[in-house]
């Protein structure tokens, strides 16, 4: 006897409107247009260092944004510029290869204030390096600086003629205006698929990388002209607290060296009576404690390493290598501070 359900039609395959999406996004553009500010705005945590000085970002940083709709993995590239030395060349190569490997490129520019309808030739030159079949979203940043809205419209119109963009988004990264819209557009452009990284991961970079960056940020904030660009920071020792709960042992101890290009810069970084170095150390320690979510002890030294940014072997030593050593999964990566706090509260 046939079963009663045998004649029922097979259930239809339903489309999955709620399937998650995930993909990689490269942030590309001239130095100082606000790429790092935008990344920090998207992530809601200050992960990439920013400053008013150009060429602040030297390396590729992945920031990861996971929401119920999916996961976007961002690569913040160094701004493309005319390379004057080996470090500069390395930065441009990184930007180019990151752009072609990503699912979507976010090309960031800022509003031209002098000739509003003008698209800068440097922007067009960078745009040309992106393969034609690559999806590109154009972000015009710093619109908070424009008083006359028709000027902005003229500017956007000249950009629209430059390439077939997947979307064109005016934004103020600083005021977090337009960030939600960009997030939504990007989620629509990346493929459906499973998460690329665990849900609570914020970056695939190890914590020690960010601590070195925080020290560099303090130097960028506190010094001028050629000093910030002649500086590299290495982490010499990174001691995490052991499992025991005595107060002294719950401190993360980090020993690091600030490398300067010239002997004369050493004195400036140290400052009269060691005051400058003390301020750099305190500023970086406070930020590192927020990042790690626990007390930090920083031991900072200054060393003169002349010509480091033109010496290929030194660049590798100082962490600006060709990435060959980056394949190993880092031991500890930056988890969301919120999730670390949640876990700590649950353990109590
Ligand atoms: P990047 O070199 O492209 O990564 O640029 P940064 O993110 O380091 O920003 C460069 C400078 O532009 C910093 O001083 C930022 O505060 C500033 N900036 C970034 N976004 C905006 C914005 O939307 N409006 C204004 N007025 N300034 C911005
Ligand atoms: Mg940057």
């Amino acid at each position: 006897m046939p079963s009663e359900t045998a004649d029922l039609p097979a259930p239809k395959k339903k489309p999955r409107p709620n399937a998650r999406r995930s993909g990689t996004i490269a942030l590309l553009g001239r130095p100082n247009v606000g790429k790092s500010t935008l990344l920090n705005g998207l992530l809601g945590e200050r992960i990439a260092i920013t400053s008013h000085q150009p060429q602040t970002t030297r390396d590729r940083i992945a920031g990861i944004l996971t929401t119920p709709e999916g996961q976007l993995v961002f690569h913040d590239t160094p701004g493309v510029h005319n390379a004057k030395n080996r470090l500069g060349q390395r930065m441009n190569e990184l930007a180019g290869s990151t752009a072609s490997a990503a699912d979507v490129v976010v090309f960031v520019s800022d509003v031209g204030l002098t000739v509003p309808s003008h698209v800068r030739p440097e922007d067009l030159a960078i745009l040309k390096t992106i393969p034609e079949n690559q999806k590109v979203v154009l972000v015009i940043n710093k619109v908070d600086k424009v008083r006359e809205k028709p000027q902005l419209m003229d500017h956007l119109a000249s950009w629209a003629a430059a390439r077939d963009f997947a979307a064109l988004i005016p934004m103020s990264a600083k005021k977090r205006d337009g960030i939600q819209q960009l997030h939504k557009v990007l989620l629509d452009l990346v493929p459906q698929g499973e998460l690329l990284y665990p849900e609570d991961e914020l970056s695939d970079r190890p914590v020690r990388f960010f601590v070195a960056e925080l020290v560099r940020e303090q130097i960028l904030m506190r010094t001028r002209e050629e000093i910030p660009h002649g500086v590299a920071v290495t982490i010499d020792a990174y001691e995490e607290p052991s499992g025991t709960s005595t107060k002294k042992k719950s401190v993360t101890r980090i020993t690091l060296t600030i490398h300067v290009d010239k002997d004369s810069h050493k004195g400036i970084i140290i400052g009269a009576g060691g005051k400058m170095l003390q301020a750099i150390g305190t500023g970086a320690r406070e930020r590192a404690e927020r990042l790690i979510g626990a007390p930090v002890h920083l031991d900072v030294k200054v060393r003169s390493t002349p010509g480091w940014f033109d010496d290929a072997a030194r660049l590798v030593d100082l962490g600006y290598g060709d990435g060959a050593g980056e394949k190993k999964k880092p031991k500890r990566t930056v988890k969301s501070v919120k999730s670390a706090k949640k876990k700590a509260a649950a353990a109590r």
Side-chain angles (χ1 to χ4, degrees), residues 46-163:
R46 292 201 52 213
I47 209 163
I49 68 167
T50 62
S51 84
H52 58 283
Q53 315 232 27
Q55 296 163 41
T56 300
T57 310
R58 282 192 189 143
D59 222 322
R60 187 174 43 184
I61 297 173
I64 305 168
L65 176 60
T66 310
T67 52
E69 300 83 36
Q71 187 172 67
L72 300 175
V73 179
F74 290 92
H75 294 276
D76 179 21
T77 64
V80 180
H81 59 104
N82 291 327
K84 290 197 196 81
N85 54 38
R86 216 183 261 268
L87 175 66
Q89 275 168 27
R90 162 96 188 106
M91 284 159 69
N92 282 354
E93 284 161 17
L94 252 180
S97 59
T98 309
S100 16
D103 288 311
V104 183
V105 171
V106 172
F107 188 92
V108 187
S109 184
D110 52 4
V111 278
L113 290 178
T114 39
V115 190
S117 62
H118 185 69
V119 176
R120 289 182 185 224
E122 306 98 283
D123 276 335
L124 294 176
I126 304 170
L127 203 59
K128 264 203 199 132
T129 65
I130 307 172
E132 254 180 52
N133 56 356
Q134 177 64 286
K135 293 177 213 164
V136 183
V137 172
L138 176 68
V139 165
I140 300 295
N141 193 28
K142 309 195 186 179
V143 296
D144 53 287
K145 283 185 168 178
V146 184
R147 303 237 180 282
E148 312 271 330
K149 291 304 158 193
Q151 284 193 349
L152 180 60
M153 293 330 257
D154 284 352
H155 191 68
L156 293 178
S158 358
W159 265 108
R163 188 183 168 120

Side-chain angles (χ1 to χ4, degrees), residues 315-346:
L315 285 175
V316 173
D317 278 354
L318 294 172
Y320 302 107
D322 60 7
E326 290 172 16
K327 298 226 168 67
K328 277 183 270 154
K329 182 114 178 97
K331 262 202 223 137
R332 236 195 109 202
T333 51
V334 180
K335 302 277 180 183
S336 148
V337 175
K338 275 177 238 134
S339 94
K341 279 184 185 153
K342 233 191 282 165
K343 273 180 206 152

Side-chain angles (χ1 to χ4, degrees), residues 257-280:
T257 302
I258 299 171
H259 300 262
V260 291
D261 180 40
K262 292 190 185 123
D263 254 339
S264 57
H265 292 177
K266 216 168 139 174
I268 297 170
I269 297 273
I270 294 170
K275 280 233 164 75
M276 174 67 98
L277 189 60
Q278 204 175 11
I280 290 168

